[in-house]
Amino acid sequence: MLFFQMAVFHLECSIHRRRASGLSVAREQLDATTSAEAIAVAEARFVTLLAERAGSATLWNDAGQIVWSTRRFIPGADNSVTHADR
């Protein structure tokens, strides 16, 4: 009988709101057996949360190491980098 050790990962997604200024932030805990599995789940969740909006996501493990991150811009929108984004 095989037992797989589950690891804890943390996903944080910052999504730009459509009609109001500011961000909506989602923080979730993911349990996965590998980093690759956690990344696949995080990518799918990020796409669902975005719903045609701009945003960014970061996934890190319990040790605080960043495992995956991404950013999505909306074509035709003002995607200029601000001082806070550097």
Side-chain angles (χ1 to χ4, degrees):
M1 187 179 267
L2 294 174
F3 293 97
F4 295 98
Q5 181 69 30
M6 295 299 281
V8 176
F9 294 86
H10 307 275
L11 174 65
E12 182 174 295
C13 300
S14 299
I15 310 299
H16 294 271
R17 295 181 182 173
R18 287 185 191 184
R19 290 178 173 71
S21 62
L23 296 173
S24 172
V25 178
R27 292 183 179 97
E28 299 180 10
Q29 180 175 309
L30 307 175
D31 295 321
T33 55
T34 65
S35 292
E37 179 185 354
I39 291 168
V41 171
E43 286 177 329
R45 184 69 180 130
F46 181 56
V47 168
T48 300
L49 289 170
L50 278 177
E52 301 300 320
R53 295 174 286 179
S56 61
T58 304
L59 177 71
W60 64 93
N61 61 20
D62 240 4
Q65 299 167 316
I66 294 175
V67 176
W68 170 81
S69 66
T70 190
R71 182 182 252 180
R72 178 174 169 208
F73 297 108
I74 300 298
D78 179 12
N79 294 316
S80 58
V81 176
T82 64
H83 180 68
D85 291 331
R86 293 182 193 176

